[in-house]
């Protein structure tokens, strides 16, 4: 089978909607904190939440402004590469499976599960900025499984898993 290459970019509409949602929450928390001054702890918690949501909105806006034509997920003969997650591609010989899944409290398949060899998982170098901002860019690592959020990409999770599985099936 002729293997194909897949390059996925950020979806502008998805980044705009997430930045708008986080910005709206920041304004709401700031408003609640400013007008509900009866309890000091309540005010402090709302200011912290407002600051956190504003940071997430600025992070997503920064991604929107700087990620023009940047390839986020790349699948080719060398392996599976998520540019914001790792600087190098994860080779196909350590990837056990790639499947799409439905994330918690979602209706559609927007996630990609990448199951790897546990020995390689220990050696996987993840960028420090991604460890800090993982909740804004949509990935999580638990054991030897990496969960990627494909809802902010211009390619759906079924297409990513189909192309990746063509390389995995050729390996065996």
């Amino acid at each position: 089978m002729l293997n194909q290459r897949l390059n996925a970019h950020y979806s502008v509409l998805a980044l705009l909607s997430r930045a708008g949602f986080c910005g709206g929450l920041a304004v709401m928390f700031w408003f609640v904190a400013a007008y509900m001054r009866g309890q000091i702890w309540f005010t402090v918690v709302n200011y912290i939440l407002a600051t956190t949501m504003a940071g997430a909105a600025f992070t997503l806006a920064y991604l929107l402004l700087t990620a023009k034509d940047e390839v986020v997920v790349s699948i080719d003969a060398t392996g599976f590469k998520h540019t914001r997650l790792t600087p190098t591609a994860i080779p196909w010989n350590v990837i056990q499976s790639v499947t799409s899944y439905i994330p918690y409290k979602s209706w559609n398949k927007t996630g990609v599960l990448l199951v790897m060899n546990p020995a390689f998982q220990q050696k996987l170098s993840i960028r420090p900025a991604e460890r800090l901002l993982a909740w804004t860019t949509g990935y999580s690592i638990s054991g030897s499984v990496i969960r990627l959020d494909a809802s902010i990409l211009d390619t759906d999770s079924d297409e990513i898993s189909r192309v990746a599985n063509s390389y995995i099936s050729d390996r065996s």
Side-chain angles (χ1 to χ4, degrees):
M1 178 181 183
L2 178 65
N3 289 323
Q4 55 200 9
R5 182 180 174 96
L6 177 84
N7 291 326
H9 306 274
Y10 281 120
S11 169
V12 172
L13 185 60
L15 286 176
L16 276 175
S17 65
R18 285 190 181 196
F21 179 74
C22 291
L25 282 177
V27 168
M28 182 194 73
F29 286 130
W30 194 269
F31 177 79
V32 168
Y35 288 102
M36 301 293 285
R37 294 184 183 250
Q39 299 287 331
I40 297 295
W41 67 270
F42 187 75
T43 304
V44 169
V45 167
N46 276 297
Y47 278 131
I48 290 171
L49 289 172
T51 305
T52 304
M53 287 296 116
F58 285 129
T59 301
L60 291 165
Y62 175 77
L63 281 177
L64 182 65
L65 294 174
T66 60
K68 184 177 180 176
D69 295 331
E70 179 183 349
V71 175
V72 179
V73 173
S74 175
I75 299 174
D76 58 9
T78 60
F80 187 97
K81 183 176 181 185
H82 188 285
T83 57
R84 299 244 181 231
L85 184 62
T86 61
T88 60
I90 300 170
W92 292 116
N93 60 354
V94 299
I95 297 175
Q96 296 172 353
S97 68
V98 178
T99 58
S100 59
Y101 76 100
I102 300 173
Y104 180 68
K105 291 189 176 183
S106 180
W107 296 94
N108 301 326
K109 290 182 182 178
T110 59
V112 177
L113 286 177
L114 184 69
V115 180
M116 294 186 299
N117 184 352
F120 183 77
Q121 176 68 25
Q122 305 293 330
K123 300 177 195 173
L124 185 65
S125 65
I126 297 175
R127 295 180 180 190
E130 276 305 306
R131 289 185 190 271
L132 180 64
L133 301 173
W135 58 281
T136 60
T137 55
Y139 88 90
S140 66
I141 296 177
S142 59
S144 61
V145 177
I146 297 177
R147 289 177 178 83
L148 300 172
D149 183 13
S151 66
I152 58 173
L153 300 177
D154 62 357
T155 305
D156 65 342
S157 61
D158 288 331
E159 179 71 12
I160 292 171
S161 63
R162 185 187 62 76
V163 172
N165 284 322
S166 71
Y167 285 102
I168 292 172
S169 66
D170 285 349
R171 176 188 69 193
S172 33

PDB file of all heavy atoms in Angstrom, residues 18-44:
ATOM      1  N   ARG A  18     -12.216  29.055  21.211  1.00  0.00           N
ATOM      2  CA  ARG A  18     -11.661  28.751  22.538  1.00  0.00           C
ATOM      3  C   ARG A  18     -11.106  30.000  23.209  1.00  0.00           C
ATOM      4  O   ARG A  18     -11.272  30.183  24.413  1.00  0.00           O
ATOM      5  CB  ARG A  18     -10.577  27.685  22.433  1.00  0.00           C
ATOM      6  CG  ARG A  18     -11.176  26.328  22.206  1.00  0.00           C
ATOM      7  CD  ARG A  18     -10.155  25.262  22.344  1.00  0.00           C
ATOM      8  NE  ARG A  18     -10.782  23.972  22.090  1.00  0.00           N
ATOM      9  CZ  ARG A  18     -10.244  22.837  22.409  1.00  0.00           C
ATOM     10  NH1 ARG A  18      -9.073  22.796  22.992  1.00  0.00           N
ATOM     11  NH2 ARG A  18     -10.866  21.710  22.142  1.00  0.00           N
ATOM     12  N   ALA A  19     -10.441  30.858  22.454  1.00  0.00           N
ATOM     13  CA  ALA A  19      -9.927  32.101  23.031  1.00  0.00           C
ATOM     14  C   ALA A  19     -11.084  32.986  23.481  1.00  0.00           C
ATOM     15  O   ALA A  19     -11.028  33.602  24.555  1.00  0.00           O
ATOM     16  CB  ALA A  19      -9.049  32.836  22.024  1.00  0.00           C
ATOM     17  N   GLY A  20     -12.146  33.053  22.695  1.00  0.00           N
ATOM     18  CA  GLY A  20     -13.313  33.834  23.078  1.00  0.00           C
ATOM     19  C   GLY A  20     -14.000  33.281  24.312  1.00  0.00           C
ATOM     20  O   GLY A  20     -14.439  34.029  25.195  1.00  0.00           O
ATOM     21  N   PHE A  21     -14.097  31.958  24.404  1.00  0.00           N
ATOM     22  CA  PHE A  21     -14.712  31.324  25.567  1.00  0.00           C
ATOM     23  C   PHE A  21     -13.907  31.614  26.829  1.00  0.00           C
ATOM     24  O   PHE A  21     -14.460  32.008  27.861  1.00  0.00           O
ATOM     25  CB  PHE A  21     -14.842  29.817  25.337  1.00  0.00           C
ATOM     26  CG  PHE A  21     -15.436  29.073  26.493  1.00  0.00           C
ATOM     27  CD1 PHE A  21     -16.792  29.173  26.768  1.00  0.00           C
ATOM     28  CD2 PHE A  21     -14.649  28.280  27.303  1.00  0.00           C
ATOM     29  CE1 PHE A  21     -17.346  28.490  27.829  1.00  0.00           C
ATOM     30  CE2 PHE A  21     -15.184  27.593  28.375  1.00  0.00           C
ATOM     31  CZ  PHE A  21     -16.551  27.699  28.641  1.00  0.00           C
ATOM     32  N   CYS A  22     -12.592  31.435  26.756  1.00  0.00           N
ATOM     33  CA  CYS A  22     -11.736  31.709  27.923  1.00  0.00           C
ATOM     34  C   CYS A  22     -11.757  33.191  28.288  1.00  0.00           C
ATOM     35  O   CYS A  22     -11.784  33.547  29.473  1.00  0.00           O
ATOM     36  CB  CYS A  22     -10.309  31.243  27.656  1.00  0.00           C
ATOM     37  SG  CYS A  22     -10.137  29.457  27.579  1.00  0.00           S
ATOM     38  N   GLY A  23     -11.755  34.059  27.292  1.00  0.00           N
ATOM     39  CA  GLY A  23     -11.836  35.491  27.563  1.00  0.00           C
ATOM     40  C   GLY A  23     -13.161  35.871  28.208  1.00  0.00           C
ATOM     41  O   GLY A  23     -13.205  36.699  29.132  1.00  0.00           O
ATOM     42  N   GLY A  24     -14.242  35.275  27.739  1.00  0.00           N
ATOM     43  CA  GLY A  24     -15.549  35.530  28.343  1.00  0.00           C
ATOM     44  C   GLY A  24     -15.619  35.066  29.786  1.00  0.00           C
ATOM     45  O   GLY A  24     -16.182  35.751  30.647  1.00  0.00           O
ATOM     46  N   LEU A  25     -15.053  33.899  30.069  1.00  0.00           N
ATOM     47  CA  LEU A  25     -15.006  33.427  31.451  1.00  0.00           C
ATOM     48  C   LEU A  25     -14.160  34.347  32.323  1.00  0.00           C
ATOM     49  O   LEU A  25     -14.505  34.599  33.486  1.00  0.00           O
ATOM     50  CB  LEU A  25     -14.458  32.004  31.514  1.00  0.00           C
ATOM     51  CG  LEU A  25     -15.416  30.882  31.135  1.00  0.00           C
ATOM     52  CD1 LEU A  25     -14.700  29.542  31.174  1.00  0.00           C
ATOM     53  CD2 LEU A  25     -16.616  30.856  32.054  1.00  0.00           C
ATOM     54  N   ALA A  26     -13.061  34.854  31.775  1.00  0.00           N
ATOM     55  CA  ALA A  26     -12.212  35.770  32.539  1.00  0.00           C
ATOM     56  C   ALA A  26     -12.978  37.032  32.900  1.00  0.00           C
ATOM     57  O   ALA A  26     -12.920  37.495  34.048  1.00  0.00           O
ATOM     58  CB  ALA A  26     -10.954  36.123  31.734  1.00  0.00           C
ATOM     59  N   VAL A  27     -13.729  37.578  31.968  1.00  0.00           N
ATOM     60  CA  VAL A  27     -14.518  38.781  32.237  1.00  0.00           C
ATOM     61  C   VAL A  27     -15.599  38.484  33.276  1.00  0.00           C
ATOM     62  O   VAL A  27     -15.836  39.281  34.191  1.00  0.00           O
ATOM     63  CB  VAL A  27     -15.135  39.328  30.926  1.00  0.00           C
ATOM     64  CG1 VAL A  27     -16.179  40.394  31.196  1.00  0.00           C
ATOM     65  CG2 VAL A  27     -14.043  39.865  30.021  1.00  0.00           C
ATOM     66  N   MET A  28     -16.239  37.326  33.153  1.00  0.00           N
ATOM     67  CA  MET A  28     -17.284  36.974  34.105  1.00  0.00           C
ATOM     68  C   MET A  28     -16.723  36.833  35.526  1.00  0.00           C
ATOM     69  O   MET A  28     -17.289  37.368  36.477  1.00  0.00           O
ATOM     70  CB  MET A  28     -17.963  35.667  33.700  1.00  0.00           C
ATOM     71  CG  MET A  28     -19.092  35.263  34.636  1.00  0.00           C
ATOM     72  SD  MET A  28     -19.620  33.582  34.431  1.00  0.00           S
ATOM     73  CE  MET A  28     -18.252  32.707  35.159  1.00  0.00           C
ATOM     74  N   PHE A  29     -15.604  36.108  35.665  1.00  0.00           N
ATOM     75  CA  PHE A  29     -15.007  35.946  36.988  1.00  0.00           C
ATOM     76  C   PHE A  29     -14.539  37.288  37.562  1.00  0.00           C
ATOM     77  O   PHE A  29     -14.654  37.541  38.756  1.00  0.00           O
ATOM     78  CB  PHE A  29     -13.846  34.952  36.956  1.00  0.00           C
ATOM     79  CG  PHE A  29     -14.272  33.521  36.831  1.00  0.00           C
ATOM     80  CD1 PHE A  29     -13.704  32.697  35.874  1.00  0.00           C
ATOM     81  CD2 PHE A  29     -15.229  32.977  37.673  1.00  0.00           C
ATOM     82  CE1 PHE A  29     -14.084  31.372  35.762  1.00  0.00           C
ATOM     83  CE2 PHE A  29     -15.621  31.664  37.566  1.00  0.00           C
ATOM     84  CZ  PHE A  29     -15.049  30.851  36.606  1.00  0.00           C
ATOM     85  N   TRP A  30     -13.997  38.163  36.711  1.00  0.00           N
ATOM     86  CA  TRP A  30     -13.553  39.471  37.166  1.00  0.00           C
ATOM     87  C   TRP A  30     -14.750  40.300  37.642  1.00  0.00           C
ATOM     88  O   TRP A  30     -14.683  40.973  38.667  1.00  0.00           O
ATOM     89  CB  TRP A  30     -12.829  40.185  36.029  1.00  0.00           C
ATOM     90  CG  TRP A  30     -12.059  41.369  36.493  1.00  0.00           C
ATOM     91  CD1 TRP A  30     -12.487  42.662  36.584  1.00  0.00           C
ATOM     92  CD2 TRP A  30     -10.721  41.367  36.960  1.00  0.00           C
ATOM     93  NE1 TRP A  30     -11.505  43.462  37.061  1.00  0.00           N
ATOM     94  CE2 TRP A  30     -10.404  42.700  37.308  1.00  0.00           C
ATOM     95  CE3 TRP A  30      -9.753  40.388  37.105  1.00  0.00           C
ATOM     96  CZ2 TRP A  30      -9.162  43.053  37.799  1.00  0.00           C
ATOM     97  CZ3 TRP A  30      -8.522  40.751  37.585  1.00  0.00           C
ATOM     98  CH2 TRP A  30      -8.229  42.065  37.935  1.00  0.00           C
ATOM     99  N   PHE A  31     -15.837  40.240  36.893  1.00  0.00           N
ATOM    100  CA  PHE A  31     -17.052  40.964  37.270  1.00  0.00           C
ATOM    101  C   PHE A  31     -17.603  40.462  38.603  1.00  0.00           C
ATOM    102  O   PHE A  31     -17.954  41.257  39.480  1.00  0.00           O
ATOM    103  CB  PHE A  31     -18.101  40.809  36.168  1.00  0.00           C
ATOM    104  CG  PHE A  31     -19.416  41.448  36.496  1.00  0.00           C
ATOM    105  CD1 PHE A  31     -19.583  42.820  36.356  1.00  0.00           C
ATOM    106  CD2 PHE A  31     -20.484  40.691  36.943  1.00  0.00           C
ATOM    107  CE1 PHE A  31     -20.792  43.420  36.658  1.00  0.00           C
ATOM    108  CE2 PHE A  31     -21.692  41.286  37.247  1.00  0.00           C
ATOM    109  CZ  PHE A  31     -21.852  42.650  37.108  1.00  0.00           C
ATOM    110  N   VAL A  32     -17.669  39.144  38.767  1.00  0.00           N
ATOM    111  CA  VAL A  32     -18.174  38.569  40.016  1.00  0.00           C
ATOM    112  C   VAL A  32     -17.274  38.968  41.180  1.00  0.00           C
ATOM    113  O   VAL A  32     -17.757  39.322  42.265  1.00  0.00           O
ATOM    114  CB  VAL A  32     -18.295  37.030  39.890  1.00  0.00           C
ATOM    115  CG1 VAL A  32     -18.540  36.381  41.240  1.00  0.00           C
ATOM    116  CG2 VAL A  32     -19.413  36.668  38.923  1.00  0.00           C
ATOM    117  N   ALA A  33     -15.974  38.926  40.972  1.00  0.00           N
ATOM    118  CA  ALA A  33     -15.043  39.291  42.047  1.00  0.00           C
ATOM    119  C   ALA A  33     -15.164  40.771  42.411  1.00  0.00           C
ATOM    120  O   ALA A  33     -15.045  41.141  43.582  1.00  0.00           O
ATOM    121  CB  ALA A  33     -13.610  38.963  41.635  1.00  0.00           C
ATOM    122  N   ALA A  34     -15.401  41.621  41.422  1.00  0.00           N
ATOM    123  CA  ALA A  34     -15.467  43.051  41.679  1.00  0.00           C
ATOM    124  C   ALA A  34     -16.738  43.452  42.426  1.00  0.00           C
ATOM    125  O   ALA A  34     -16.718  44.400  43.215  1.00  0.00           O
ATOM    126  CB  ALA A  34     -15.370  43.823  40.372  1.00  0.00           C
ATOM    127  N   TYR A  35     -17.833  42.745  42.192  1.00  0.00           N
ATOM    128  CA  TYR A  35     -19.105  43.150  42.781  1.00  0.00           C
ATOM    129  C   TYR A  35     -19.572  42.293  43.954  1.00  0.00           C
ATOM    130  O   TYR A  35     -20.537  42.644  44.609  1.00  0.00           O
ATOM    131  CB  TYR A  35     -20.188  43.194  41.703  1.00  0.00           C
ATOM    132  CG  TYR A  35     -19.989  44.360  40.787  1.00  0.00           C
ATOM    133  CD1 TYR A  35     -19.438  44.193  39.527  1.00  0.00           C
ATOM    134  CD2 TYR A  35     -20.322  45.640  41.196  1.00  0.00           C
ATOM    135  CE1 TYR A  35     -19.230  45.273  38.687  1.00  0.00           C
ATOM    136  CE2 TYR A  35     -20.114  46.726  40.371  1.00  0.00           C
ATOM    137  CZ  TYR A  35     -19.575  46.535  39.118  1.00  0.00           C
ATOM    138  OH  TYR A  35     -19.352  47.609  38.309  1.00  0.00           O
ATOM    139  N   MET A  36     -18.914  41.212  44.238  1.00  0.00           N
ATOM    140  CA  MET A  36     -19.287  40.358  45.369  1.00  0.00           C
ATOM    141  C   MET A  36     -18.158  40.392  46.397  1.00  0.00           C
ATOM    142  O   MET A  36     -17.427  39.429  46.562  1.00  0.00           O
ATOM    143  CB  MET A  36     -19.539  38.930  44.894  1.00  0.00           C
ATOM    144  CG  MET A  36     -20.619  38.790  43.859  1.00  0.00           C
ATOM    145  SD  MET A  36     -22.235  39.173  44.479  1.00  0.00           S
ATOM    146  CE  MET A  36     -22.589  37.732  45.428  1.00  0.00           C
ATOM    147  N   ARG A  37     -18.009  41.460  47.103  1.00  0.00           N
ATOM    148  CA  ARG A  37     -16.893  41.635  48.026  1.00  0.00           C
ATOM    149  C   ARG A  37     -17.235  41.231  49.457  1.00  0.00           C
ATOM    150  O   ARG A  37     -16.522  41.553  50.370  1.00  0.00           O
ATOM    151  CB  ARG A  37     -16.419  43.063  48.001  1.00  0.00           C
ATOM    152  CG  ARG A  37     -15.820  43.418  46.662  1.00  0.00           C
ATOM    153  CD  ARG A  37     -15.263  44.814  46.706  1.00  0.00           C
ATOM    154  NE  ARG A  37     -14.767  45.152  45.392  1.00  0.00           N
ATOM    155  CZ  ARG A  37     -13.498  45.273  45.107  1.00  0.00           C
ATOM    156  NH1 ARG A  37     -12.593  45.092  46.010  1.00  0.00           N
ATOM    157  NH2 ARG A  37     -13.123  45.593  43.889  1.00  0.00           N
ATOM    158  N   GLY A  38     -18.319  40.509  49.666  1.00  0.00           N
ATOM    159  CA  GLY A  38     -18.702  40.108  51.015  1.00  0.00           C
ATOM    160  C   GLY A  38     -17.742  39.123  51.643  1.00  0.00           C
ATOM    161  O   GLY A  38     -17.410  39.220  52.821  1.00  0.00           O
ATOM    162  N   GLN A  39     -17.270  38.188  50.876  1.00  0.00           N
ATOM    163  CA  GLN A  39     -16.348  37.168  51.365  1.00  0.00           C
ATOM    164  C   GLN A  39     -14.983  37.378  50.698  1.00  0.00           C
ATOM    165  O   GLN A  39     -14.877  37.354  49.470  1.00  0.00           O
ATOM    166  CB  GLN A  39     -16.860  35.766  51.029  1.00  0.00           C
ATOM    167  CG  GLN A  39     -18.186  35.425  51.646  1.00  0.00           C
ATOM    168  CD  GLN A  39     -18.058  35.187  53.145  1.00  0.00           C
ATOM    169  OE1 GLN A  39     -17.008  34.762  53.608  1.00  0.00           O
ATOM    170  NE2 GLN A  39     -19.110  35.471  53.882  1.00  0.00           N
ATOM    171  N   ILE A  40     -13.961  37.536  51.500  1.00  0.00           N
ATOM    172  CA  ILE A  40     -12.625  37.763  50.965  1.00  0.00           C
ATOM    173  C   ILE A  40     -12.136  36.555  50.171  1.00  0.00           C
ATOM    174  O   ILE A  40     -11.587  36.702  49.079  1.00  0.00           O
ATOM    175  CB  ILE A  40     -11.630  38.095  52.098  1.00  0.00           C
ATOM    176  CG1 ILE A  40     -12.026  39.384  52.796  1.00  0.00           C
ATOM    177  CG2 ILE A  40     -10.201  38.169  51.590  1.00  0.00           C
ATOM    178  CD1 ILE A  40     -11.949  40.610  51.932  1.00  0.00           C
ATOM    179  N   TRP A  41     -12.336  35.352  50.682  1.00  0.00           N
ATOM    180  CA  TRP A  41     -11.870  34.152  49.988  1.00  0.00           C
ATOM    181  C   TRP A  41     -12.573  34.003  48.643  1.00  0.00           C
ATOM    182  O   TRP A  41     -11.969  33.578  47.671  1.00  0.00           O
ATOM    183  CB  TRP A  41     -12.073  32.902  50.843  1.00  0.00           C
ATOM    184  CG  TRP A  41     -13.526  32.552  51.070  1.00  0.00           C
ATOM    185  CD1 TRP A  41     -14.322  32.962  52.084  1.00  0.00           C
ATOM    186  CD2 TRP A  41     -14.335  31.723  50.231  1.00  0.00           C
ATOM    187  NE1 TRP A  41     -15.587  32.452  51.936  1.00  0.00           N
ATOM    188  CE2 TRP A  41     -15.620  31.685  50.805  1.00  0.00           C
ATOM    189  CE3 TRP A  41     -14.099  31.029  49.050  1.00  0.00           C
ATOM    190  CZ2 TRP A  41     -16.670  30.974  50.236  1.00  0.00           C
ATOM    191  CZ3 TRP A  41     -15.137  30.316  48.486  1.00  0.00           C
ATOM    192  CH2 TRP A  41     -16.420  30.299  49.078  1.00  0.00           C
ATOM    193  N   PHE A  42     -13.852  34.362  48.574  1.00  0.00           N
ATOM    194  CA  PHE A  42     -14.604  34.268  47.318  1.00  0.00           C
ATOM    195  C   PHE A  42     -14.048  35.236  46.281  1.00  0.00           C
ATOM    196  O   PHE A  42     -13.907  34.894  45.101  1.00  0.00           O
ATOM    197  CB  PHE A  42     -16.087  34.543  47.604  1.00  0.00           C
ATOM    198  CG  PHE A  42     -16.978  34.311  46.434  1.00  0.00           C
ATOM    199  CD1 PHE A  42     -17.300  33.023  46.030  1.00  0.00           C
ATOM    200  CD2 PHE A  42     -17.512  35.380  45.724  1.00  0.00           C
ATOM    201  CE1 PHE A  42     -18.123  32.802  44.952  1.00  0.00           C
ATOM    202  CE2 PHE A  42     -18.337  35.164  44.642  1.00  0.00           C
ATOM    203  CZ  PHE A  42     -18.645  33.875  44.252  1.00  0.00           C
ATOM    204  N   THR A  43     -13.721  36.429  46.729  1.00  0.00           N
ATOM    205  CA  THR A  43     -13.150  37.433  45.833  1.00  0.00           C
ATOM    206  C   THR A  43     -11.786  36.993  45.324  1.00  0.00           C
ATOM    207  O   THR A  43     -11.492  37.100  44.129  1.00  0.00           O
ATOM    208  CB  THR A  43     -13.035  38.786  46.564  1.00  0.00           C
ATOM    209  OG1 THR A  43     -14.319  39.155  47.051  1.00  0.00           O
ATOM    210  CG2 THR A  43     -12.505  39.863  45.661  1.00  0.00           C
ATOM    211  N   VAL A  44     -10.951  36.468  46.200  1.00  0.00           N
ATOM    212  CA  VAL A  44      -9.614  36.024  45.822  1.00  0.00           C
ATOM    213  C   VAL A  44      -9.692  34.871  44.818  1.00  0.00           C
ATOM    214  O   VAL A  44      -8.985  34.853  43.806  1.00  0.00           O
ATOM    215  CB  VAL A  44      -8.789  35.625  47.071  1.00  0.00           C
ATOM    216  CG1 VAL A  44      -7.505  34.921  46.687  1.00  0.00           C
ATOM    217  CG2 VAL A  44      -8.497  36.845  47.917  1.00  0.00           C
TER     218      VAL A  44
END
